[in-house]
Amino acid sequence: MKFIYEQPLQEYMLKKGKKTIVVEEITSNNSDFEITELHIHLIDDKKAEHFKTQKGYYSVTTEMGFVLLPPFKLKYDDTVTFGLKSFLGIKYISCKGIHK
């Protein structure tokens, strides 16, 4: 599996001084329906250690740092691409190649 970082994300990571991306599965449970989606975000070294030791995430080394993946099975394409998006001034990481 190969991880690609788009140029705007690389610049943002360098600006923020963060080198770890974590992929989490988040579930919102309402009485009528349940929503599960992937939440992909940057974390600092202290939080990265917590994810590895307490939550059992495993680390994959990349050109920009690390990607922490959950211990349960997700589906991965041969190439995973991370990008940086912005909505109303709020920046978030987009992803192609990881599926629930």
Side-chain angles (χ1 to χ4, degrees), residues 65 82 85 98-99:
F82 293 115
K85 301 288 184 186
I98 300 178
H99 315 279

Side-chain angles (χ1 to χ4, degrees), residues 20-58:
T20 305
I21 294 177
V22 65
V23 177
E24 292 184 273
E25 188 175 73
I26 304 294
T27 302
S28 175
N29 191 357
N30 190 325
S31 60
D32 296 334
F33 58 90
E34 183 176 312
I35 298 173
T36 301
E37 61 183 42
L38 293 177
H39 178 58
I40 302 167
H41 56 103
L42 295 172
I43 57 175
D44 58 24
D45 292 339
K46 183 178 178 182
K47 258 195 166 171
E49 193 59 34
H50 171 76
F51 273 90
K52 289 190 274 187
T53 59
Q54 302 296 319
K55 292 188 171 188
Y57 279 57
Y58 64 96

Side-chain angles (χ1 to χ4, degrees), residues 1 19 22 35 44 49 54 56 62 64 72-73 88 96-97:
M1 176 174 23
K19 60 182 179 182
V22 65
I35 298 173
D44 58 24
E49 193 59 34
Q54 302 296 319
T62 66
M64 288 294 296
F72 51 85
K73 296 288 183 190
L88 297 173
K96 296 176 191 164

Side-chain angles (χ1 to χ4, degrees), residues 61-78:
T61 304
T62 66
E63 65 187 43
M64 288 294 296
F66 305 95
V67 175
L68 296 181
L69 300 170
F72 51 85
K73 296 288 183 190
L74 292 174
K75 296 176 185 171
Y76 304 100
D77 293 344
D78 292 335

